[in-house]
C-alpha cells in the first residue's frame, strides 16, 4: 500500500487537499449554498438571514454577548477590538508567545497605544500568574490582549485561567479566537472574556472575508470613552444596524449564505461532537508524529493544528513543497525563526478520519524522500490506531 501511494503521488496530477490552519476545506454543502442566488443586502430577505446567523453563531463560542459580523479578515476584527475599547494614551498588556499573538501589539502601537509586552518563548503557553504579576505592578493597564490558539506554534493558551486573573483587576480581557473557535470552546461570559474575535476561514469552514466580534457589557462601556479614530470599524454602528437587520456597509452576502449552511452542519453534528472530533484528529496526528520519530513542538497543544518539530537534516521548506507538488497535500511550514524547522498540519474544520490518514501518509512520503529512517507505514498505523479507539 505504501508503494502504491508513492506511485500515485509521483505520477498523477494531484488534487489539492488543504491541511492548513486557514483557509480550511469548504464542505460541498457550503459551496452549494454560496453558489445560489445572491441575496440583496437591502432587500426583504436579508434581515432574517443576518439575524439568524448572528444568533446561531453565538452558540459556537458559546456566548450570550452581542455578536457582530464584519466584512474583513480576522485581523480586521482584531483591529476593531483595539479601536473601539481604548483611548489615546492608554496602556495595554499583550501576552504573546508567537507570531499571531504579537499582532495584538502591532495593532495597539498603530493606534498610539502604549504596549506592555509580556513575551513567552515560542512553544510554551502564557503563564496566567505572570499576567497577574504584571497587572499588579502596573494598575494603569486598561486591557489585556491574548490569543487562544497560537497558529505559529500549535499552542493552546489557557484563556479560562488568564481571564480569571484579569477579571480580578477590572481590566478588559480581549481574546483572539480566530483559529480556536470551532475546535475549542470559548465561553466568553462564563470565563469573563469581554471581547473575542474570530474569522470565517477557520473552524467555520468558509472562504476568507468575514470577521466576527463578540462584545460584552464591560467592552461596550469602554466604547463610550474610546476616542481612537474609527469609521468602518465603529462597532456601535454595527450594533445599531444589526438591530434593523442590516449592516452599516455592504456585508459579504455570499459568505453569509455559506455561513447559514455551515452553522446548520455544526448543529446537526452537535457542538460537543465537533469539539471531540477535533481533539481526536489532532491526537491522531500527534501519535503519528511520535511514531515517525518526530517531536510535537507545542508544550500545551491546540486541537486546531499540530506543530511538528523536525530534526537536523530534514528541511521543512522542501518537505512542504514535496507534499504539495507530489501529493497535493498542503500543510503549513514554520514561521519566522522556525522556518524550515517545523511543519504544521491542521485538522481544523471540515476534516474526517480518512483525511487525517491521507495527511499522515503524505508526510511519510515526504520524509522518505529526505531519507528519514522509520518503519514504513508506522505513522499511518499509529494514527489509525488512535482513530479506531474513538470509533469504538
Amino acid at each position: 500500500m505504501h508503494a502504491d501511494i508513492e506511485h500515485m503521488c509521483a505520477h498523477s496530477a494531484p488534487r489539492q487537499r488543504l491541511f492548513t490552519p486557514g483557509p480550511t476545506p469548504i464542505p460541498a454543502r457550503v459551496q452549494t449554498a454560496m453558489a445560489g442566488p445572491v441575496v440583496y443586502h437591502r432587500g426583504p430577505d436579508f434581515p432574517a438571514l443576518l439575524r439568524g446567523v448572528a444568533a446561531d453563531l453565538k452558540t459556537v463560542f458559546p456566548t450570550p454577548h452581542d455578536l457582530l459580523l464584519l466584512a474583513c479578515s480576522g485581523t480586521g476584527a482584531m483591529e476593531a477590538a483595539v479601536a473601539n475599547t481604548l483611548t489615546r494614551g492608554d496602556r495595554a498588556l499583550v501576552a504573546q508567545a508567537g507570531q499571531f499573538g504579537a499582532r495584538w501589539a502591532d495593532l495597539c502601537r498603530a493606534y498610539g497605544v502604549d504596549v506592555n509586552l509580556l513575551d513567552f518563548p515560542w512553544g510554551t503557553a502564557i503563564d496566567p500568574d505572570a499576567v497577574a504579576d504584571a497587572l499588579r505592578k502596573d494598575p494603569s493597564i486598561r486591557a489585556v490582549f491574548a490569543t487562544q490558539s497560537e497558529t505559529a506554534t500549535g499552542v493552546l493558551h489557557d484563556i479560562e485561567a488568564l481571564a480569571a486573573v484579569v477579571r480580578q483587576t477590572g481590566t478588559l480581557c480581549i481574546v483572539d479566537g480566530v483559529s480556536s473557535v470551532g475546535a475549542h470552546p470559548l465561553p466568553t461570559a462564563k470565563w469573563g472574556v469581554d471581547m473575542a474575535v474570530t474569522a470565517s476561514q477557520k473552524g467555520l469552514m468558509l472562504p476568507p472575508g468575514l470577521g466576527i466580534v463578540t462584545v460584552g457589557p464591560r467592552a461596550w462601556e469602554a466604547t463610550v470613552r474610546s476616542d481612537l479614530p474609527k469609521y468602518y470599524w465603529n462597532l456601535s454602528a454595527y450594533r445599531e444596524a444589526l438591530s434593523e437587520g442590516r449592516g452599516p456597509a455592504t456585508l459579504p452576502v455570499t459568505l453569509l449564505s455559506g455561513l447559514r449552511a455551515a452553522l446548520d452542519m455544526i448543529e446537526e453534528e452537535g457542538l460537543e461532537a465537533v469539539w471531540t472530533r477535533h481533539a481526536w484528529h489532532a491526537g491522531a496526528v500527534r501519535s503519528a508524529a511520535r511514531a515517525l520519530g518526530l517531536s510535537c513542538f507545542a508544550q500545551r497543544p491546540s486541537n486546531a493544528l499540530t506543530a511538528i518539530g523536525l530534526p537536523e537534516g530534514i528541511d521543512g521548506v522542501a518537505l512542504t513543497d514535496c507534499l504539495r507538488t507530489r501529493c497535493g497535500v498542503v500543510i503549513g511550514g514554520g514561521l519566522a525563526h522556525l522556518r524550515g524547522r517545523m511543519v504544521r498540519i491542521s485538522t481544523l474544520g471540515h476534516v474526517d478520519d480518512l483525511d487525517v490518514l491521507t495527511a499522515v501518509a503524505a508526510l511519510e512520503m515526504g520524509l522518505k524522500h529526505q531519507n528519514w529512517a522509520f518503519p514504513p507505514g508506522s505513522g499511518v498505523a499509529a494514527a489509525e490506531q488512535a482513530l479506531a479507539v474513538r470509533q469504538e
Side-chain angles (χ1 to χ4, degrees), residues 169-187:
T169 66
T171 305
L172 291 177
C173 180
I174 301 176
V175 174
D176 163 11
V178 171
S179 69
S180 61
V181 172
H184 290 277
L186 181 53

Side-chain angles (χ1 to χ4, degrees), residues 268-362:
E268 290 163 12
E269 183 176 356
L271 186 58
E272 294 278 353
V274 170
W275 291 334
T276 299
R277 169 168 55 82
H278 280 85
W280 280 102
H281 285 168
V285 174
R286 292 194 288 267
S287 295
R290 288 189 286 266
L292 292 169
L294 305 176
S295 62
C296 295
F297 184 76
Q299 183 187 79
R300 188 176 187 268
S302 166
N303 293 332
L305 76 159
T306 298
I308 300 173
L310 300 175
E312 292 291 333
I314 301 295
D315 181 349
V317 175
L319 182 59
T320 57
D321 286 346
C322 177
L323 268 62
R324 176 178 53 81
T325 58
R326 295 180 64 87
C327 299
V329 169
V330 184
I331 64 175
L335 301 176
H337 63 283
L338 295 176
R339 177 177 167 81
R341 297 170 55 192
M342 70 154 59
V343 293
R344 298 172 300 136
I345 299 178
S346 171
T347 46
L348 182 60
H350 186 57
V351 175
D352 63 21
D353 290 1
L354 289 179
D355 291 327
V356 174
L357 296 178
T358 297
V360 172

Side-chain angles (χ1 to χ4, degrees), residues 46-58 69 242 260 263:
F46 185 72
L49 173 62
L50 178 60
R51 289 178 177 135
V53 296
D56 292 349
L57 191 49
K58 290 183 180 185
L69 297 109
L242 179 60
R260 177 67 276 160
L263 291 171

Side-chain angles (χ1 to χ4, degrees), residues 36-349:
V38 174
V39 178
Y40 177 41
H41 70 290
R42 300 196 187 281
D45 297 329
F46 185 72
L49 173 62
L50 178 60
R51 289 178 177 135
V53 296
D56 292 349
L57 191 49
K58 290 183 180 185
T59 65
V60 180
F61 280 81
T63 181
H65 295 159
D66 290 326
L67 185 143
L68 307 171
L69 297 109
L70 293 69
C72 65
S73 67
T75 302
M78 293 170 69
E79 181 164 342
V82 171
N84 283 267
T85 55
L86 296 176
T87 299
R88 291 177 180 86
D90 275 354
R91 284 179 55 75
L93 187 147
V94 174
Q96 63 95 10
Q99 181 167 312
F100 294 95
R103 186 162 295 182
W104 280 125
D106 294 337
L107 288 166
C108 287
R109 291 181 181 126
Y111 280 85
V113 173
D114 188 14
V115 174
N116 180 347
L117 185 62
L118 199 56
D119 197 6
F120 297 89
W122 286 37
T124 66
I126 293 169
D127 180 2
D129 290 336
V131 174
D133 185 57
L135 291 174
R136 280 193 298 269
K137 291 178 179 176
D138 188 353
S140 69
I141 290 172
R142 290 281 187 176
V144 173
F145 294 90
T147 301
Q148 186 173 26
S149 176
E150 173 53 67
T151 318
T153 64
V155 169
L156 180 73
H157 298 300
D158 190 349
I159 296 300
E160 181 178 12
L162 182 144
V165 302
V166 175
R167 191 166 59 244
Q168 296 174 11
T169 66
T171 305
L172 291 177
C173 180
I174 301 176
V175 174
D176 163 11
V178 171
S179 69
S180 61
V181 172
H184 290 277
L186 181 53
T188 59
K190 180 180 178 181
W191 288 357
V193 173
D194 297 294
M195 185 176 283
V197 305
T198 192
S200 54
Q201 76 276 16
K202 307 283 185 173
L204 295 177
M205 306 177 289
L206 292 164
L210 193 61
I212 296 104
V213 185
T214 72
V215 189
R218 295 196 324 129
W220 280 125
E221 292 174 7
T223 66
V224 176
R225 63 179 293 273
S226 173
D227 64 359
L228 297 181
K230 49 191 164 286
Y231 176 78
Y232 189 74
W233 302 129
N234 188 338
L235 295 182
S236 295
Y238 279 88
R239 178 169 63 168
E240 181 181 352
L242 179 60
S243 70
E244 301 171 1
R246 60 179 181 84
T250 305
L251 292 173
V253 293
T254 299
L255 292 179
L256 293 176
S257 296
L259 179 57
R260 177 67 276 160
L263 291 171
D264 290 343
M265 291 178 65
I266 291 172
E267 182 182 9
E268 290 163 12
E269 183 176 356
L271 186 58
E272 294 278 353
V274 170
W275 291 334
T276 299
R277 169 168 55 82
H278 280 85
W280 280 102
H281 285 168
V285 174
R286 292 194 288 267
S287 295
R290 288 189 286 266
L292 292 169
L294 305 176
S295 62
C296 295
F297 184 76
Q299 183 187 79
R300 188 176 187 268
S302 166
N303 293 332
L305 76 159
T306 298
I308 300 173
L310 300 175
E312 292 291 333
I314 301 295
D315 181 349
V317 175
L319 182 59
T320 57
D321 286 346
C322 177
L323 268 62
R324 176 178 53 81
T325 58
R326 295 180 64 87
C327 299
V329 169
V330 184
I331 64 175
L335 301 176
H337 63 283
L338 295 176
R339 177 177 167 81
R341 297 170 55 192
M342 70 154 59
V343 293
R344 298 172 300 136
I345 299 178
S346 171
T347 46
L348 182 60

